[in-house]
Amino acid sequence: MDDLVALCKRRGFIYPASEIYGGLNGFWDYGPLGTELKNNIRDAWWHDMVRCPPIGPDGEPISIVGLDSSIIQNPRVWEASGHVDGFNDPMVDCRETKSRYRADHLMVLGGEDTGERRLYAYLAGDDEGRDRAVKLLGKYEKVSAEEADWTDRPLVDLPAAALERVVGPDTKEPGSLTEPRQFNLMFKTFVGALQSEDSAAYLRPETAQGIFLNFNNVVDTMRVKVPFGIAQVGKAFRNEVTPRNYIFRSREFEQMEIEWFCHESEAATWFDFWCETRRKWWESMGLTSDSVQMRRHDADELAHYAKEGCGTFDVEYRFPFTSPDFGELEGVAHRGNYDLSRHMEFSKKKLEYFDQPRNERYLPHVIEPSAGLSRGTLAILCEAFTPDEARASKVYMKFQPRVAPIKAAVFPLVNKDGMPEIAGKLYETLRQRWPIQYDAKQSIGKRYARMDEAGCPWCFTVDSDTVNDQAVTVRDRDSLSQDRLAIDQVENWLADRLK
Ligand code: ATP
């Protein structure tokens, strides 16, 4: 991860937000290449789900329309959706350091529970934190880790009385951690000049609710018929207790969500369809099948809206910091008619749908494939990162051409003998259609190295032969092959590969 984070900074993919002021925990900025990459993933999703959606279980193309709703909505929305009451994570405060941790993220290291022995807490997945716990516990119990009877346990599995014997992740004495308490993850703000509770509002913690609010509008204006979907991409905000693992868990992030409205009797079929469709989609974006898995939520993990008896499946990816385990990339949930019925109850507006073929009025059930665009970008960055000692750059980013931020580069071998003019002309033609880079600085080896780190699939070099044979050398990022290609063929050649 350290190498990937360094490359992302060096090559302009991702920077810490407000870096010159020391940053702000849980916030990130996307640089020029990161913005292109993220936009490409977003556009691929929009194309494959909205413009050209998959073929449904009955062999017919399904129907999905797009939406872009407000980030700030009437605060009643979040009461109806259950986020005001239910969108809580149990959290533990450290009275000494004032740090706050998500209870389910804390592990404790310690021996068999005698009611007296100390336990040392650390954050799950934090190897340095665990090493520290091993060191301090060894010193305290005067025993080496090899001889000790210690085990690692989730903090939430401890009996309440054991908490006073737990040493916090950043403290030396036990008893500083509070019992887990609920903490609302929504960011609060005020609308208008008066900053009173009457004007309080929230930044949306998910894009989904904007879709439910517009259900009637879309049905009335778009001639859509159940089953159909509404899709939205946009920012969501959660005041995460412990933002970490780079952009995996941040406080401002982007989601790509579909609410799929269907008749209750068909919900199970559509649920299976969406689980399969979404797993395949991530694989089509270049995530290899052995690094992606589907995992059914345990009963105690289900969100407040999840339909009883019909679970939630996560599409998971094996991130370097979760490996050998997996981390959530997307959740596919059966929300039942929870949201529409709650909004109907709270707004007193009718949200039922009249199904003409069935001659039935009902609240559709909803299957929700909810993907993280920011997490997806991270997964694709992790997957692309390919160390290669044989290259000058020692590493290259093996992006699929579809998501690559730069599709091709054009170089004049040297800055004379007519080469810059020919290369410049080729660059100007190609950039009309794709993001292309022109680079005439430093040696050709250094230019290839820069493009390898940027994940640019092809480089076209104009050399001294070009004037005579009207051809360029095309260098392939992955195979490193170098072939000759007629200059007037380059545009078609590239179009073919970027189809
Ligand atoms: P987690 O259990 O990791 O907190 P969640 O189950 O609360 O996630 P959902 O509410 O299902 O997540 O949100 C849908 C998707 O939004 C997730 O699969 C993830 O890709 C993304 N997401 C959620 N929270 C964050 C976050 N803090 N930072 C980045 N992406 C997030």
Side-chain angles (χ1 to χ4, degrees):
M1 273 315 284
D2 289 347
D3 292 343
L4 175 67
V5 171
L7 182 144
C8 286
K9 176 84 201 295
R10 186 166 72 240
R11 282 289 162 244
F13 283 97
I14 297 168
Y15 313 123
S18 9
E19 193 181 9
I20 60 170
Y21 288 99
L24 186 61
N25 197 10
F27 296 88
W28 298 91
D29 291 342
Y30 289 79
L33 294 195
T35 307
E36 290 284 344
L37 174 69
K38 181 158 64 65
N39 288 352
N40 290 343
I41 300 168
R42 178 199 66 192
D43 294 348
W45 181 85
W46 193 262
H47 175 271
D48 297 347
M49 297 296 130
V50 183
R51 298 238 171 104
C52 186
I55 303 294
D58 60 358
E60 294 295 319
I62 62 170
S63 152
I64 302 194
V65 292
L67 185 80
D68 186 1
S69 69
S70 279
I71 284 174
I72 296 180
Q73 302 279 2
N74 186 308
R76 294 266 291 156
V77 170
W78 308 109
E79 287 170 33
S81 70
H83 284 87
V84 170
D85 292 331
F87 194 55
N88 297 312
D89 275 339
M91 127 240 125
V92 168
D93 281 329
C94 177
R95 297 185 193 91
E96 200 180 315
T97 63
K98 308 288 175 237
S99 300
R100 180 168 274 186
Y101 311 97
R102 235 172 91 168
D104 59 338
H105 287 172
L106 282 177
M107 298 290 294
V108 289
L109 179 74
E112 214 157 278
D113 194 7
T114 58
E116 281 173 18
R117 294 170 79 179
R118 278 189 184 179
L119 298 143
Y120 282 75
Y122 63 93
L123 275 171
D126 174 10
D127 295 339
E128 276 172 34
R130 188 176 182 281
D131 290 349
R132 177 183 180 275
V134 169
K135 214 164 110 198
L136 291 177
L137 185 54
K139 213 161 143 195
Y140 181 75
E141 294 202 337
K142 301 192 175 53
V143 61
S144 72
E146 292 74 41
E147 296 158 19
D149 64 336
W150 307 331
T151 50
D152 297 274
R153 276 168 285 171
L155 177 106
V156 288
D157 288 355
L158 293 182
L163 214 60
E164 63 192 35
R165 289 181 284 112
V166 174
V167 181
D170 302 302
T171 57
K172 293 214 168 111
E173 294 302 318
S176 65
L177 297 184
T178 64
E179 276 192 34
R181 289 185 293 228
Q182 297 301 320
F183 171 69
N184 196 294
L185 295 184
M186 282 195 292
F187 279 100
K188 211 171 188 175
T189 186
F190 300 94
V191 175
L194 282 183
Q195 303 220 337
S196 69
E197 271 314 298
D198 291 344
S199 64
Y202 301 98
L203 304 193
R204 68 179 175 201
E206 59 174 28
T207 62
Q209 294 307 319
I211 296 180
F212 297 118
L213 303 180
N214 283 291
F215 176 72
N216 271 1
N217 282 337
V218 172
V219 169
D220 291 347
T221 55
M222 298 308 295
R223 302 166 58 86
V224 282
K225 298 210 165 14
V226 168
F228 75 96
I230 305 180
Q232 165 154 241
V233 183
K235 291 252 172 162
F237 302 82
R238 295 184 188 177
N239 198 0
E240 295 281 358
V241 182
T242 38
R244 65 200 167 115
N245 291 332
Y246 202 28
I247 57 172
F248 178 84
R249 185 175 303 288
S250 41
R251 289 178 166 144
E252 174 176 341
F253 56 95
E254 278 171 273
Q255 292 185 314
M256 309 186 287
E257 297 197 295
I258 299 170
E259 305 306 321
W260 179 258
F261 300 95
C262 60
H263 190 269
E264 182 177 5
S265 64
E266 294 177 349
T269 308
W270 285 112
F271 183 74
D272 293 345
F273 168 81
W274 280 112
C275 287
E276 183 60 8
T277 301
R278 295 301 307 148
R279 182 185 58 75
K280 277 199 199 138
W281 187 80
W282 283 110
E283 288 178 16
S284 81
M285 296 302 287
L287 304 186
T288 54
S289 54
D290 58 350
S291 53
V292 176
Q293 72 168 21
M294 298 298 290
R295 186 182 69 87
R296 182 187 271 279
H297 273 213
D298 297 334
D300 60 355
E301 280 181 273
L302 289 180
H304 58 267
Y305 51 73
K307 177 103 176 96
E308 248 176 73
C310 198
T312 293
F313 261 99
D314 283 346
V315 185
E316 297 189 326
Y317 177 72
R318 193 191 284 121
F319 290 94
F321 45 82
T322 59
S323 181
D325 294 330
F326 292 73
E328 176 177 337
L329 192 57
E330 169 162 354
V332 182
H334 181 192
R335 294 176 82 125
N337 60 13
Y338 175 85
D339 304 87
L340 287 179
S341 66
R342 293 277 290 189
H343 286 306
M344 196 155 104
E345 180 190 335
F346 278 65
S347 69
K348 310 267 184 282
K349 295 278 181 313
K350 281 203 164 23
L351 297 176
E352 285 141 334
Y353 171 81
F354 182 67
D355 190 325
Q356 237 157 7
R358 288 179 202 269
N359 196 22
E360 186 186 340
R361 192 174 291 282
Y362 58 86
L363 280 180
H365 276 228
V366 170
I367 309 299
E368 176 194 72
S370 168
L373 173 54
S374 320
R375 270 193 204 173
T377 304
L378 179 58
I380 284 173
L381 280 165
C382 292
E383 186 80 34
F385 187 86
T386 314
D388 180 0
E389 281 303 313
R391 297 181 190 230
S393 54
K394 306 285 184 227
V395 61
Y396 68 107
M397 296 301 281
K398 199 173 174 178
F399 293 126
Q400 278 195 347
R402 189 180 191 193
V403 297
I406 305 169
K407 305 298 182 202
V410 178
F411 307 149
L413 183 62
V414 287
N415 248 335
K416 55 181 185 187
D417 301 336
M419 292 179 223
E421 288 73 19
I422 302 174
K425 216 170 132 212
L426 179 62
Y427 164 64
E428 274 168 36
T429 309
L430 299 180
R431 72 170 194 177
Q432 307 282 337
R433 295 182 65 181
W434 303 287
I436 305 287
Q437 254 191 24
Y438 180 85
D439 192 354
K441 296 203 189 79
Q442 298 181 302
S443 71
I444 194 82
K446 287 208 170 118
R447 285 181 256 170
Y448 283 151
R450 269 201 293 276
M451 286 304 135
D452 276 350
E453 283 199 331
C456 167
W458 300 287
C459 300
F460 300 106
T461 304
V462 171
D463 56 26
S464 54
D465 290 338
T466 305
V467 184
N468 302 323
D469 68 359
Q470 298 300 310
V472 294
T473 300
V474 49
R475 183 246 197 200
D476 184 277
R477 176 197 65 199
D478 301 343
S479 69
L480 295 178
S481 66
Q482 301 205 10
D483 297 311
R484 219 54 196 160
L485 182 67
I487 205 160
D488 59 3
Q489 289 299 311
V490 170
E491 189 175 345
N492 284 343
W493 187 94
L494 203 52
D496 236 24
R497 275 152 189 81
L498 292 172
K499 256 211 297 261

